[in-house]
């Protein structure tokens, strides 16, 4: 025969409550420990206001980045425009330099040679229509520092009209000239339509009426 002693009911309930309390404390400790390991702070507010603030901050950072990008693009476009303008200026200067070289070569070919201090060079003439003739010439003085020349140039046309010799002089006693080193002259002359111009005679006359230079242009 086995004899068992029975504990009173109040003592049993107290022991059960103690075990349940210990279990609850252990579960709470495990939960907090796991939350710390995961790096979660479930007590922190994560409501709509916090999310809205974060969205606004992200938008602000995006706008700043976009503004920086737009500024960089504007600077790049301005630099490209400046480079294009510089390239155009370089091309313009190269064309101008080429033209100046051409003029220099032209003047070098026209440097006065021979006797006399004043010469006519580069004289040209052509009939451009019925009764119209275009001409151009260059009058030059020798020397590095010549005195100023004041005078005039005279043109006369020679050829055939109605099967006979024909001559026509420029009216009003020629056209004025005033220069120190050189002067380029060009213009148009009119003559009778039926006439055939064969020669244009050029004379340069000083203020006293003396002929200083002359040249014939043969068409």
């Amino acid at each position: 025969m086995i004899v068992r002693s029975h504990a009173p009911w109040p003592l049993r309930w107290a022991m059960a409550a103690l075990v349940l309390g210990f279990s609850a404390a252990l579960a709470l400790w495990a939960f907090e420990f796991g939350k710390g390991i995961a790096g979660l702070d479930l007590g922190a507010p994560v409501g709509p206001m916090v999310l809205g603030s974060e969205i606004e901050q992200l938008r602000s950072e995006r706008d700043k980045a976009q503004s920086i990008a737009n500024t960089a693009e504007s600077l790049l476009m301005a630099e490209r425009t400046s480079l294009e303008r510089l390239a155009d200026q370089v091309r313009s200067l190269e064309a101008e330099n080429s033209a100046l070289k051409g003029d220099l070569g032209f003047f070098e070919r026209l440097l006065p040679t021979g006797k006399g201090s004043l010469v006519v060079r580069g004289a040209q003439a052509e009939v451009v229509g019925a009764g119209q003739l275009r001409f151009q010439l260059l009058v030059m003085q020798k020397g590095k520092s010549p005195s100023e020349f004041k005078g005039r140039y005279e043109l006369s046309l020679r050829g055939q009209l109605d099967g006979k010799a024909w001559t026509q002089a420029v009216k009003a006693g020629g056209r004025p000239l005033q220069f120190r080193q050189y002067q380029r002259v060009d213009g148009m002359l009119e003559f009778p339509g039926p006439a055939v111009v064969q020669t244009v005679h050029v004379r340069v006359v000083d203020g006293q009426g003396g002929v200083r230079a002359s040249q014939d242009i043969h068409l």
Side-chain angles (χ1 to χ4, degrees), residues 13-178:
W13 282 110
M15 293 179 63
L18 182 61
V19 171
L20 290 175
F22 178 77
S23 298
L26 182 63
L28 180 61
W29 174 84
F31 175 75
E32 292 293 337
F33 182 74
K35 183 179 67 173
I37 293 177
L40 298 177
D41 187 8
L42 298 180
V46 291
M49 295 182 62
V50 175
L51 294 177
S53 177
E54 293 179 354
I55 292 173
E56 289 299 326
Q57 183 178 359
L58 291 175
R59 286 177 178 174
S60 177
E61 293 177 356
R62 181 204 61 187
D63 293 341
K64 289 180 181 179
Q66 185 66 40
S67 176
I68 294 173
N70 293 337
T71 302
E73 184 177 0
S74 299
L75 293 174
L76 182 59
M77 292 181 62
E79 184 177 359
R80 288 178 179 174
T81 302
S82 299
L83 289 176
E84 291 177 357
R85 290 178 180 175
L86 288 175
D88 292 339
Q89 292 178 1
V90 169
R91 286 191 291 267
S92 178
L93 290 175
E94 288 177 349
E96 184 177 354
N97 187 36
S98 178
L100 290 175
K101 287 182 178 179
D103 290 342
L104 179 60
F106 173 76
F107 286 123
E108 287 177 347
R109 292 192 299 269
L110 296 179
L111 286 176
T113 58
K115 298 180 180 180
S117 61
L118 191 146
V119 294
V120 177
R121 302 298 299 270
Q124 298 179 3
E126 62 175 340
V127 177
V128 295
Q132 290 186 328
L133 180 140
R134 179 188 293 120
F135 70 93
Q136 63 178 3
L137 53 97
L138 185 68
V139 185
M140 304 180 68
Q141 289 198 94
K142 289 183 179 180
K144 294 183 178 180
S145 299
S147 58
E148 186 178 45
F149 174 81
K150 293 182 180 180
R152 66 183 187 275
Y153 72 94
E154 299 175 347
L155 299 177
S156 61
L157 308 180
R158 301 172 184 171
Q160 296 287 327
L161 179 60
D162 297 332
K164 299 179 180 179
W166 164 80
T167 301
Q168 175 181 311
V170 175
K171 298 179 180 180
R175 301 179 184 180
L177 282 174
Q178 183 173 351

